[in-house]
Amino acid sequence: MKQNAVQKQRSFSWFAWVIIALILFSSLATLLSSFWWFDALGYKTIFMVSLQSRIALFVITALIMFLFLAVNTFIAKLIIKEKKKFFLSKMLLTEVALSIVVGIFASRGWFTVQQYFKQVLFGVTDPIFGKDVSFYVFTLPFYNYLWSFFMVCMLAAIIATVYIYLQSLIAPKQTVFVDPLTQQEKNIKSFGFQKLKSKFAKGTLAHVSVLGALLFILFAVRHALGRYSVMYSSQGIVVGAGYSDIVAYLFMVKVLIVVALIFAAIFMYSAISKKVRKHPFKVFGQLFVLYFVLVIVGTALIPWFVQTFIVAPNEIALEKPYIAHNINFTRLAYGIDSIQEQNFAFSANTSRSLDRPSQEAIDNVRILDWRPLTQTYKQTQEIRLYYDLSGIDLDRYHFGSSYEQVMLAPRELDQKQITSNAQTWVNLHLVYTHGYGVVMSPVNKVTSQGLPEYYLKDIPPIVTKKGAEEILAITHPQIYYGEKRTDFVIVNTNTPEFDYPKGNTNEYLHYDGTGGVTLNTFWKKLVMAVRFKDIKILLSTDISAESKIQFTRHIQDRIKTITPFLLLDADPYLVIANGKLYWIQDAYTVTNYYPYAEKYGKFNYLRNSVKVVIDAYDGSVSYYIADPSDPLIITAAKIFPKQFRLLESMPEGLKAHLRYPEDLFKVQAALLNTYHMEDPTVFYNKEDAWQIPNEVYGVGEQIPVEPYYMIMNLPGEVGEEFVLMTSFTPIRKDNMIGWLAARMDGEHYGKLMLYKFPKDKLIYGPLQIEARIDQDSEISQQLTLWSQQGSRVTRGNLLVIPLKESVLYVEPLYIQAEQGQLPELKRIIISDGEYVVMETSLAEALQVLFGHQTSEEQRIRQENATIDDRFIQAQEIYNDLLAALEEQNWADFGTYLDELGTVLEE
């Protein structure tokens, strides 16, 4: 039986070693294939810097950890005079394993270490400690990283040492046992604690005391670093150091530093003292308890007491300078400090007395909504089941002398839609490898059936826009890299590669691009087979020495693999330039260590510092620095030299399509709701707080208004330009107070313009216009009629379009049969705030709105509109009156009551 047990143990050992070998080989295959992937893209430097940094950090931290453990173990063994080799070897193996684990975890901080050594100054100092922001973003995280590592080393050493000393207390002893059957005496070993005095000699006490002293020194360092945490404090009404943090918390932290150092001195004195006190470890325990009580009292209770009983009753007076710091640093952190503000000279005159807008302004009014349009694209232009057109992007193009906004969507391959019996290994990996072409239509033109008027359509792509044949010509319409997540594909094989359908037959091609890793050796095939756990890569006879394997083809996964430290915008977009298809991805540098800045999600600093361009055909990736003033991206460029290019080197054909990213704009607009108030008192009282308005969308659902791209002429500017804009309303109000525009053409790229409406005039917000639409009897009857006829009416985005000194509101209406999948644009609703018009086209609606229709019906509608205005205004005043009543604000209650009486009389 003993021999069988030994054999089982050997079998298990061999099995364990085989598993370990397979795991190591799989990891090596992943590492090697990743190196080839990075090398093929030209980013071997990024891969090697990352790998070398990880290895170096692993070796250094694991070695320090092992040496620290080994030294303490060795000292403990000397003190207790332990000579058992088995016990020593077991401890050694444990320390090696623990050091490896700690080294692996510590190596993950390689980028923090690199940032520390390659850091760049921000040029902005905090108002409390006078340190540059780079200290908080680069230096402090590095110090915290070091402290965490040394604390882990210290705790591991303490646990190991205590374990050894406890083991030394447990000594075997003999017990005589009489077997009741045989009446024979047997000696049985048992274990029990020996007397403390024989083991806890001065050496043991000295060793433990030194470790205790080092631990309290680490506590002191923690408190010293913890002082800077007040820059992110949420104790007050805003993020950052407040009155209680400065007066109470920082003072108590200094006290705790002194206490920790005193306790460290006590421990050290105990180590060198010749006297051994009675119950020394009981005293040590009492010191630890006392210390942690002081920590709780000093860092939590006392600041809370100051905040509650001193600050709260005098909050604005005491917190005012700190609110100002928060405002300034938040505006800096999110780039809203450079917004140019202007007053919008709104005219109270109606559209009847205003000039008709210029034809250029009307030509670029977007009447198509991308959400219903997605369904139309899919129904009319997907051509085959395995194509997908769900990713519509908005952009602008110069067609000769005209500047037009368009919608375009790539026709990507969706392998999941291939019929199940055709989803073979060869088809999925060698044949169906790419999508084909794009679809493009203008945002302001539809056919008589309400469908988009295509500029670019069908397979192969056909250009229908006159004069745009050269601009929209695509020499490589194949899309190998896109927004669809697919498995690896292998190109240039002996199997014909499907290109596009052509009637009842198919066209095939031979890939001539540079994308992918060449499978020109047996070892590369083996490594790829291991990485993807697919033996067919190794066995397939279709794969030749010219074949290339393409993987990580999703463009965002591709970028994240190369530069995981960049945050990506949710919406990459496709561009036609120089006869090719390119993806442009906006990337952000972020941190959550910017002092005094309000957090948005997980970060408190955001910059669109990088524009990434990906070739849809060969998968090449190019990084362009869009904001050279950002220290985070400059630091990254120093870590990875020659991997980032200047924006000036971007081809002009691509540069003309750069957009201001929508995600960044949303964050800035959300923060601007509060942080446009730069006066601390106004900010504290939220006297002028804003909000993003709601609109009625779809079948009647209220949703927040999304920012939208459009071509327009900004007030005071010459010529039209592509902008991203959104509007604001006062908090808990529906009238508009202002609008924000991001410019993105030429030298004006990245500039933010804030236009404020006069506060003494009523400018309708989106929800108020939606109410006007719902209250229009003619429009309501028509909507009801369509619904009764079995059609579904979908309301598109309500666009607020500033024109000269007025505002135009435009909303498309889509009609879709209940059983159909093809929404059609049937009506355009426009308003100038006073009149609401619904017609079959934008041109007809403008004709009616600007005074070219004077029928009796129109006159009645105008009179009803005026009455509706008063009802809306009365409802708003009534809501304010109820709010004042609930708050028992009798002064405002009386004011609102008078206003309500006046409106009702009118």
Side-chain angles (χ1 to χ4, degrees):
M1 291 183 66
K2 184 176 181 181
Q3 187 176 3
N4 290 337
V6 171
Q7 289 178 349
K8 288 181 180 180
Q9 186 176 2
R10 288 179 178 176
S11 299
F12 177 78
S13 299
W14 278 108
F15 179 75
W17 281 113
V18 168
I19 295 297
I20 292 172
L22 289 175
I23 293 173
L24 290 176
F25 186 68
S26 177
S27 301
L28 181 62
T30 301
L31 182 68
L32 193 55
S33 59
S34 296
F35 171 76
W36 291 332
W37 186 85
F38 273 84
D39 189 34
L41 282 171
Y43 290 103
K44 182 170 67 174
T45 298
I46 291 181
F47 181 86
M48 293 307 298
V49 168
S50 171
L51 181 62
Q52 291 168 0
S53 300
R54 289 173 186 269
I55 293 174
L57 206 53
F58 168 78
V59 171
I60 292 171
T61 54
L63 187 59
I64 292 174
M65 179 72 172
F66 175 75
L67 290 176
F68 193 69
L69 286 175
V71 167
N72 280 279
T73 302
F74 179 74
I75 293 173
K77 297 301 181 185
L78 287 179
I79 292 172
I80 65 173
K81 299 179 181 180
E82 177 65 63
K83 297 181 180 180
K84 295 180 181 179
K85 293 184 178 180
F86 175 75
F87 184 78
L88 292 174
S89 60
K90 187 171 69 172
M91 285 298 298
L92 184 65
L93 286 175
T94 303
E95 290 166 0
V96 169
L98 185 59
S99 299
I100 290 174
V101 171
V102 170
I104 291 172
F105 279 96
S107 66
R108 296 179 179 179
W110 69 272
F111 194 66
T112 299
V113 176
Q114 284 280 8
Q115 282 185 313
Y116 170 74
F117 286 107
K118 302 291 177 64
Q119 64 178 279
V120 175
L121 294 177
F122 275 72
V124 178
T125 57
D126 79 87
I128 305 301
F129 300 102
K131 291 188 176 293
D132 189 88
V133 171
S134 60
F135 171 81
Y136 297 95
V137 175
F138 301 126
T139 304
L140 193 57
F142 175 70
Y143 288 168
N144 287 329
Y145 167 83
L146 289 180
W147 184 88
S148 299
F149 169 70
F150 286 122
M151 179 56 73
V152 170
C153 292
M154 180 59 62
L155 293 177
I158 291 174
I159 293 172
T161 303
V162 170
Y163 173 76
I164 292 171
Y165 288 138
L166 287 177
Q167 284 291 319
S168 70
L169 292 175
I170 304 175
K173 60 181 180 180
Q174 301 289 336
T175 302
V176 179
F177 172 74
V178 179
D179 191 320
L181 296 178
T182 62
Q183 299 299 315
Q184 293 180 354
E185 293 183 353
K186 294 183 179 180
N187 292 326
I188 298 178
K189 287 185 178 181
S190 61
F191 295 85
F193 283 101
Q194 294 187 353
K195 294 182 180 180
L196 293 180
K197 63 179 182 179
S198 63
K199 290 294 180 180
F200 277 118
K202 186 178 183 307
T204 303
L205 181 61
H207 188 191
V208 174
S209 297
V210 170
L211 290 177
L214 292 176
L215 185 61
F216 272 102
I217 289 174
L218 281 176
F219 287 156
V221 173
R222 175 71 270 165
H223 292 310
L225 296 176
R227 292 181 302 151
Y228 303 107
S229 65
V230 297
M231 307 308 289
Y232 318 107
S233 170
S234 56
Q235 181 82 10
I237 60 172
V238 293
V239 171
Y243 182 87
S244 63
D245 296 307
I246 302 299
V247 173
Y249 182 83
L250 286 182
F251 173 77
M252 290 308 303
V253 165
K254 293 176 183 178
V255 171
L256 288 172
I257 292 174
V258 174
V259 169
L261 292 176
I262 291 173
F263 283 10
I266 292 173
F267 271 83
M268 191 58 70
Y269 174 77
S270 178
I272 63 176
S273 175
K274 295 181 179 181
K275 295 181 180 179
V276 179
R277 293 181 176 273
K278 191 176 182 181
H279 306 302
F281 294 97
K282 182 178 179 181
V283 175
F284 291 167
Q286 291 171 346
L287 288 177
F288 274 101
V289 170
L290 177 60
Y291 168 75
F292 286 115
V293 169
L294 289 175
V295 169
I296 294 172
V297 172
T299 61
L301 295 182
I302 292 178
W304 172 83
F305 181 87
V306 173
Q307 181 69 30
T308 304
F309 297 102
I310 298 177
V311 177
N314 310 282
E315 200 164 40
I316 184 59
L318 296 178
E319 297 281 17
K320 188 173 182 178
Y322 309 110
I323 295 174
H325 298 328
N326 173 263
I327 294 172
N328 294 335
F329 277 79
T330 299
R331 289 172 63 86
L332 282 169
Y334 294 96
I336 56 178
D337 60 309
S338 58
I339 292 178
Q340 300 178 26
E341 295 187 13
Q342 292 186 19
N343 292 323
F344 188 85
F346 183 81
S347 173
N349 296 329
T350 68
S351 58
R352 300 309 178 97
S353 60
L354 294 175
D355 294 332
R356 195 177 192 277
S358 66
Q359 190 61 41
E360 292 79 9
I362 298 305
D363 282 344
N364 280 300
V365 171
R366 177 163 68 89
I367 60 174
L368 288 171
D369 191 318
W370 68 269
R371 281 166 279 200
L373 193 65
T374 298
Q375 199 64 31
T376 304
Y377 270 27
K378 293 175 74 68
Q379 290 296 313
T380 61
Q381 282 295 307
E382 281 189 344
I383 311 298
R384 293 289 190 273
L385 286 174
Y386 43 75
Y387 286 129
D388 181 75
L389 276 166
S390 59
I392 292 182
D393 297 312
L394 281 162
D395 202 359
R396 74 285 198 193
Y397 286 78
H398 283 281
F399 299 121
S401 59
S402 67
Y403 191 35
E404 298 188 37
Q405 184 179 359
V406 298
M407 293 182 177
L408 69 161
R411 190 182 287 106
E412 295 199 61
L413 180 71
D414 187 358
Q415 291 185 335
K416 295 177 182 178
Q417 298 303 319
I418 298 174
T419 55
S420 57
N421 59 351
Q423 291 188 18
T424 63
W425 188 89
V426 171
N427 279 343
L428 294 178
H429 297 290
L430 308 184
V431 178
Y432 291 96
T433 58
H434 60 272
Y436 196 91
V438 298
V439 177
M440 178 187 288
S441 63
V443 299
N444 57 352
K445 295 177 183 177
V446 292
T447 65
S448 58
Q449 292 80 30
L451 300 177
E453 184 179 295
Y454 292 113
Y455 282 178
L456 192 60
K457 63 178 183 176
D458 297 343
I459 300 176
I462 298 174
V463 180
T464 60
K465 170 73 174 176
K466 291 184 178 180
E469 293 82 3
E470 184 177 348
I471 297 171
L472 299 182
I474 306 173
T475 56
H476 287 94
Q478 295 83 9
I479 302 174
Y480 285 87
Y481 301 86
E483 294 184 272
K484 284 290 180 183
R485 283 186 169 86
T486 57
D487 205 351
F488 70 89
V489 297
I490 304 174
V491 297
N492 290 356
T493 64
N494 297 327
T495 301
E497 186 181 344
F498 170 76
D499 194 20
Y500 62 88
K502 187 177 181 180
N504 294 325
T505 62
N506 294 328
E507 287 292 318
Y508 296 89
L509 89 160
H510 185 79
Y511 181 75
D512 60 357
T514 59
V517 176
T518 306
L519 299 175
N520 53 0
T521 66
F522 168 81
W523 295 109
K524 284 189 175 181
K525 293 181 183 179
L526 177 61
V527 167
M528 293 301 176
V530 172
R531 174 180 179 131
F532 295 106
K533 300 176 179 60
D534 194 335
I535 192 64
K536 293 178 182 178
I537 297 175
L538 192 62
L539 301 178
S540 176
T541 57
D542 291 321
I543 300 174
S544 67
E546 296 180 355
S547 299
K548 294 174 178 289
I549 184 168
Q550 299 180 351
F551 55 96
T552 317
R553 298 194 296 149
H554 186 277
I555 54 176
Q556 291 194 330
D557 292 345
R558 204 167 180 81
I559 297 169
K560 289 176 183 177
T561 302
I562 301 172
T563 49
F565 51 87
L566 293 177
L567 180 67
L568 302 184
D569 191 87
D571 184 29
Y573 56 100
L574 195 69
V575 167
I576 302 172
N578 305 320
K580 297 189 70 177
L581 298 177
Y582 296 94
W583 294 96
I584 298 181
Q585 171 71 64
D586 287 287
Y588 307 107
T589 50
V590 298
T591 182
N592 59 345
Y593 296 120
Y594 202 91
Y596 257 124
E598 189 73 28
K599 263 197 172 185
Y600 188 92
K602 295 182 179 180
F603 52 81
N604 67 356
Y605 173 91
L606 180 67
R607 285 290 186 277
N608 177 216
S609 299
V610 182
K611 303 287 185 181
V612 189
V613 177
I614 305 98
D615 191 313
Y617 185 68
D618 62 31
S620 61
V621 182
S622 301
Y623 290 85
Y624 297 93
I625 297 178
D627 186 0
S629 66
D630 173 37
L632 281 170
I633 194 58
I634 300 303
T635 298
K638 290 177 66 178
I639 296 172
F640 309 111
K642 299 181 181 180
Q643 302 299 292
F644 295 89
R645 309 175 188 180
L646 295 177
L647 191 63
E648 290 74 16
S649 64
M650 179 183 285
E652 291 299 325
L654 290 172
K655 198 183 296 184
H657 292 281
L658 294 181
R659 300 189 323 192
Y660 198 89
E662 189 172 338
D663 284 352
L664 172 62
F665 190 75
K666 286 180 179 179
V667 172
Q668 291 174 320
L671 288 162
L672 201 62
N673 285 331
T674 304
Y675 283 91
H676 70 275
M677 298 178 287
E678 297 185 62
D679 182 88
T681 303
V682 176
F683 183 95
Y684 175 81
N685 293 317
K686 300 295 186 289
E687 297 174 11
D688 190 26
W690 299 346
Q691 65 184 8
I692 301 297
N694 286 344
E695 65 174 336
V696 177
Y697 183 81
V699 292
E701 179 187 3
Q702 280 197 24
I703 63 170
V705 174
E706 293 286 329
Y708 45 90
Y709 293 97
M710 63 181 300
I711 294 177
M712 64 176 296
N713 188 197
L714 290 174
E717 301 294 335
V718 178
E720 293 186 315
E721 55 186 293
F722 195 53
V723 301
L724 176 63
M725 68 167 291
T726 191
S727 54
F728 299 102
T729 63
I731 194 165
R732 295 189 297 274
K733 298 274 189 177
D734 292 330
N735 60 290
M736 276 201 302
I737 196 70
W739 55 282
L740 179 69
R743 308 175 72 178
M744 57 195 84
D745 282 351
E747 62 182 6
H748 300 300
Y749 178 87
K751 293 182 179 178
L752 295 175
M753 308 291 294
L754 178 62
Y755 297 91
K756 294 183 176 180
F757 290 118
K759 291 186 177 182
D760 59 345
K761 294 180 180 178
L762 175 64
I763 297 91
Y764 290 118
L767 267 187
Q768 292 174 318
I769 295 299
E770 299 283 14
R772 295 292 307 275
I773 293 172
D774 292 336
Q775 292 164 4
D776 188 286
S777 57
E778 182 180 334
I779 295 176
S780 297
Q781 290 173 6
Q782 185 63 65
L783 296 181
T784 302
L785 180 61
W786 280 326
S787 299
Q788 291 172 348
Q789 292 175 346
S791 297
R792 186 172 64 194
V793 180
T794 301
R795 293 163 76 154
N797 284 127
L798 177 67
L799 302 184
V800 179
I801 305 172
L803 293 173
K804 293 185 177 179
E805 297 180 354
S806 60
V807 175
L808 184 68
Y809 306 86
V810 179
E811 181 173 277
L813 281 183
Y814 290 86
I815 307 298
Q816 181 177 337
E818 289 290 346
Q819 304 301 321
Q821 297 289 324
L822 194 63
E824 300 175 359
L825 179 65
K826 285 301 183 184
R827 293 291 186 272
I828 302 294
I829 300 176
I830 68 173
S831 174
D832 62 349
E834 183 173 359
Y835 305 101
V836 179
V837 174
M838 182 177 73
E839 299 296 336
T840 57
S841 69
L842 180 63
E844 293 177 3
L846 289 169
Q847 290 287 331
V848 174
L849 183 65
F850 286 89
H852 298 279
Q853 179 179 335
T854 55
S855 63
E856 180 66 18
E857 179 185 355
Q858 185 69 12
R859 185 186 64 79
I860 294 173
R861 290 176 59 189
Q862 293 170 11
E863 291 178 356
N864 289 339
T866 302
I867 296 172
D868 291 341
D869 285 347
R870 295 296 179 261
F871 276 119
I872 294 172
Q873 189 176 1
Q875 181 64 51
E876 290 183 350
I877 297 173
Y878 179 69
N879 292 338
D880 292 337
L881 186 144
L882 292 179
L885 179 62
E886 184 178 348
E887 296 172 1
Q888 296 185 357
N889 189 334
W890 306 116
D892 288 351
F893 180 83
T895 302
Y896 291 138
L897 188 62
D898 292 340
E899 291 180 5
L900 182 60
T902 303
V903 172
L904 291 177
E905 287 177 5
E906 292 176 356

